[in-house]
Amino acid sequence: MINKIFIGRNLNIKKTLLHIVRIFIFLQCLLFLSCGNNKIDVIEKKPEQKKENDKGTEVALTEDQIKLMGIEFAKVENQNLSGYIKVTGEVSIDPDQDSKVGGLIPGRIKKINIKEGSFVRAGQVLAIIENVDLVGIQTDYITAKNEYEYTKQEYERQKKLSDDNIGSKKSLAELEANYTRALTNVKALEQKLSSYKISKDRFDDNYKDTVINVQRYFSVTAPISGNVVSRMVTVGQFVDPTTDMFRIVNTSTVYVYLNVFEKDLSKISIGQKAVIESSTYPDETFDGIISNLNKIFDDASRTVKIRVTINNKFGKLLPNMFVTAKIYVDEKDVLAVPKSALESEGENKFVFLKTNEMKDVIFALPKVESEEEKKEEKEKEGQGQTKSQAELDKEKGEVKKGIVFKKIPVNTGIEDDKYFQIISIENIKEGD
C-alpha cells in the first residue's frame, strides 16, 4: 500500500514537472517572438558561431515548439501582383483657391457683411470702404468725357470742311491732337473707374441730370468662392491697399503631397490612381490622380514629393491632415511572400528563412525546491561540497535538436491585400 502511494506520488510529480516544462518552453518561445534582439537566447552558442551570428540573428526551434506556437511555412514564389505602394503624406490647400482679400483704395471701413467661418461666393460684397477721393475721380471722368465729346465734334466738323477744301489744314491738325489727347484721357479714367468697380455707364446721361450720380463707397468683393477662415479688420478701421482684410479658402479641391521613397520612384508616373486613407475616417477612402512629380530629391528622408489632386466636395479632408495612400501600379510578376511572413523592427523589415541546419537547443528545467531541500543546499555549500554530475546535468536541462532559422533583412516593393514583393538584401531565392 505504501509503495503504491509512493509510486502514485512520483507519477503526479512527473506530470506536474512535465506541465511546468511545457509552460516554460512556451514562455521562452513567446519571449523570443516578442522581444526582437532582446530575446532570451535558447541556442547554445559555441565560440565558432559568434562570427556567423554577428552578421544576422539565428534561432533554433524544435518540432514541438513549432507545433506549439502554430508556426506555418510558405515558399518564396513569383506572384502576379496588381499591387500598390503604400506611402504617407499631408493634405494641403490648392494655392489657386487660397486668397487674401483687401481694398484697392485707402479709406475707412463703413460696413462688414460677413462673419468669420461664413461661406461666400465669388463676387459677393464682403465690406464697404468710404473714400472721399472717389468723388474726385468720378468728377474728373465726367469732365474728361465732356471734353472728349466736344473735341470729337469739332474735329469731325473741321475734317469735313478740309475734305471739301474749305477749312484750314493747320486747324485740323490742332483739333486732331486735342481729340486724341481727350480720347486718351477719358480711356485712362475709364480704366480707373473699372478698377474701383464703378461703371462708366452711370454717367451716360449726366448732362441731362441736375444731380450727378456720384458713388462715395467702394465695395470689397470675394475673388473666389469659399469659407472665410480669417477676418482681420473691424468697422471704423482705416485700411490701405496693403492691408489684408479677409482670408478665403476653398477646399472643394485639395492637394495631397505624398512622400515616395527612392526605391519606388521608377514605378510612379503622372495619371496613376491613388487612394487616400485617413485615421479620422477609417471606413472611407478618397480617390485621386497623381498630377505632379517634384523634381527635387530630399536627401534627408530619401524621398520625393508627389502631388495628388482630390475632389473634396464634402470638405472632409482638411489642410495639414496626415494621411496614408495606396498608389496603384502596373501588374507584374515579382518575388513575393505572404504579408504574415514579414516582420518589422522600426523601419527595417526581415523574414525568417528555414535552413537545413540542426542545432542543439538546451531547455533549463524549472527548479522547484522545498524548504528542506533549500536548507540542505545551503548546508552543502557551507561544507564546501561539490555537486555531482547528475545534479549538474539536471540543472543544465534537456537537450533537443532544433531547426535553424536565419533572420534575413529584405526591402519591400509593391503589395496587394495578401502578398508583399520582397527585394532581398542577402541571398534569398524562389522556393526558399
Side-chain angles (χ1 to χ4, degrees):
M1 183 68 176
I2 293 171
N3 288 338
K4 286 182 181 180
I5 294 171
F6 182 73
I7 290 166
R9 183 177 293 177
N10 280 346
L11 287 173
N12 288 334
I13 291 170
K14 286 181 179 179
K15 286 180 181 179
T16 303
L17 285 174
L18 183 59
H19 183 64
I20 292 171
V21 167
R22 285 176 179 168
I23 292 172
F24 184 68
I25 291 170
F26 181 66
L27 290 173
Q28 282 182 315
C29 296
L30 288 179
L31 284 170
F32 161 72
L33 290 176
S34 63
C35 295
N37 286 337
N38 297 325
K39 63 184 176 296
I40 295 174
D41 191 0
V42 297
I43 302 173
E44 183 181 11
K45 291 184 179 179
K46 298 177 183 178
E48 58 269 24
Q49 290 179 317
K50 287 185 180 178
K51 287 186 180 179
E52 182 183 351
N53 288 342
D54 286 341
K55 296 179 181 178
T57 304
E58 289 185 359
V59 62
L61 297 175
T62 66
E63 293 287 353
D64 290 338
Q65 286 178 306
I66 290 168
K67 289 178 183 177
L68 187 65
M69 291 189 289
I71 292 174
E72 297 179 2
F73 298 95
K75 289 186 178 181
V76 179
E77 295 178 326
N78 264 316
Q79 296 283 347
N80 188 260
L81 299 188
S82 178
Y84 53 81
I85 298 164
K86 204 162 187 177
V87 294
T88 59
E90 189 175 346
V91 180
S92 181
I93 301 170
D94 178 352
D96 293 333
Q97 299 299 320
D98 185 358
S99 176
K100 288 183 178 178
V101 186
L104 296 175
I105 62 173
R108 200 166 293 281
I109 297 174
K110 182 177 179 62
K111 186 180 181 182
I112 295 176
N113 296 332
I114 52 91
K115 295 183 182 298
E116 194 171 288
S118 303
F119 179 83
V120 295
R121 298 196 175 277
Q124 183 175 333
V125 176
L126 306 179
I128 303 295
I129 296 176
E130 185 176 15
N131 186 310
V132 293
D133 292 340
L134 283 176
V135 176
I137 294 167
Q138 292 168 88
T139 54
D140 288 347
Y141 172 73
I142 292 168
T143 302
K145 185 178 179 183
N146 290 335
E147 185 180 352
Y148 163 72
E149 293 289 347
Y150 173 76
T151 55
K152 180 182 178 183
Q153 290 175 4
E154 282 297 306
Y155 170 68
E156 288 176 348
R157 186 179 66 80
Q158 189 65 34
K159 188 174 185 300
K160 186 177 180 182
L161 291 173
S162 179
D163 291 340
D164 296 335
N165 293 317
I166 299 175
S168 168
K169 290 185 177 181
K170 181 179 179 183
S171 298
L172 178 64
E174 289 177 356
L175 287 172
E176 184 178 9
N178 292 337
Y179 168 69
T180 302
R181 184 167 53 252
L183 177 62
T184 302
N185 190 29
V186 78
K187 289 296 181 184
L189 287 167
E190 280 180 1
Q191 290 294 324
K192 203 166 188 178
L193 287 175
S194 178
S195 68
Y196 292 155
K197 299 182 178 67
I198 300 173
S199 173
K200 64 183 180 64
D201 297 338
R202 67 189 301 144
F203 307 111
D204 286 348
D205 297 327
N206 67 81
Y207 61 91
K208 297 178 183 178
D209 296 335
T210 55
V211 179
I212 298 175
N213 188 15
V214 174
Q215 181 176 322
R216 293 179 56 196
Y217 305 108
F218 173 76
S219 298
V220 179
T221 58
I224 61 171
S225 298
N227 291 94
V228 180
V229 296
S230 298
R231 168 184 156 175
M232 292 83 85
V233 291
T234 57
V235 173
Q237 181 179 337
F238 184 85
V239 294
D240 59 36
T242 63
T243 305
D244 290 328
M245 300 172 64
F246 309 96
R247 184 187 178 195
I248 300 173
V249 172
N250 188 332
T251 57
S252 61
T253 298
V254 294
Y255 289 159
V256 175
Y257 287 96
L258 302 173
N259 304 306
V260 178
F261 284 102
E262 183 179 7
K263 64 183 178 65
D264 295 324
L265 274 179
S266 61
K267 308 179 188 78
I268 304 298
S269 59
I270 291 175
Q272 277 178 300
K273 179 182 175 181
V275 176
I276 307 301
E277 299 173 340
S278 169
S279 59
T280 310
Y281 309 103
D283 300 323
E284 194 169 354
T285 59
F286 306 86
D287 294 345
I289 299 295
I290 296 176
S291 55
N292 179 261
L293 302 179
N294 205 322
K295 303 302 180 186
I296 300 175
F297 186 80
D298 188 333
D299 188 52
S301 63
R302 309 302 296 171
T303 60
V304 169
K305 284 193 179 296
I306 66 169
R307 187 180 71 213
V308 176
T309 304
I310 301 289
N311 184 339
N312 189 41
K313 62 180 179 180
F314 297 112
K316 290 187 174 182
L317 292 178
L318 303 178
N320 303 316
M321 261 188 181
F322 288 106
V323 295
T324 59
K326 295 176 180 177
I327 301 171
Y328 285 86
V329 299
D330 294 334
E331 189 174 291
K332 59 168 66 175
D333 287 328
V334 294
L335 208 61
V337 296
K339 284 190 168 182
S340 57
L342 201 70
E343 301 293 336
S344 299
E345 286 180 356
E347 294 182 357
N348 301 317
K349 295 181 176 64
F350 57 88
V351 294
F352 280 103
L353 180 68
K354 181 184 179 184
T355 71
N356 294 324
E357 298 177 37
M358 303 289 288
K359 285 188 178 178
D360 290 339
V361 179
I362 302 173
F363 293 93
L365 298 176
K367 196 172 182 179
V368 182
E369 293 181 335
S370 66
E371 292 299 324
E372 291 182 1
E373 288 173 328
K374 289 180 181 178
K375 188 176 179 181
E376 289 177 7
E377 187 74 23
K378 287 182 180 179
E379 287 177 358
K380 286 182 180 180
E381 289 177 2
Q383 296 169 7
Q385 295 180 16
T386 57
K387 294 180 181 180
S388 66
Q389 187 60 45
E391 288 175 321
L392 291 172
D393 289 342
K394 183 179 179 181
E395 288 182 3
K396 183 178 179 183
E398 186 181 357
V399 178
K400 286 188 178 181
K401 289 293 183 181
I403 301 169
V404 175
F405 295 86
K406 288 189 177 180
K407 182 179 174 183
I408 306 294
V410 293
N411 287 327
T412 57
I414 61 175
E415 62 179 290
D416 62 14
D417 294 331
K418 293 182 179 179
Y419 292 93
F420 261 119
Q421 177 192 5
I422 60 167
I423 303 161
S424 177
I425 297 174
E426 296 184 11
N427 185 31
I428 188 170
K429 59 188 183 298
E430 186 179 2
D432 283 346

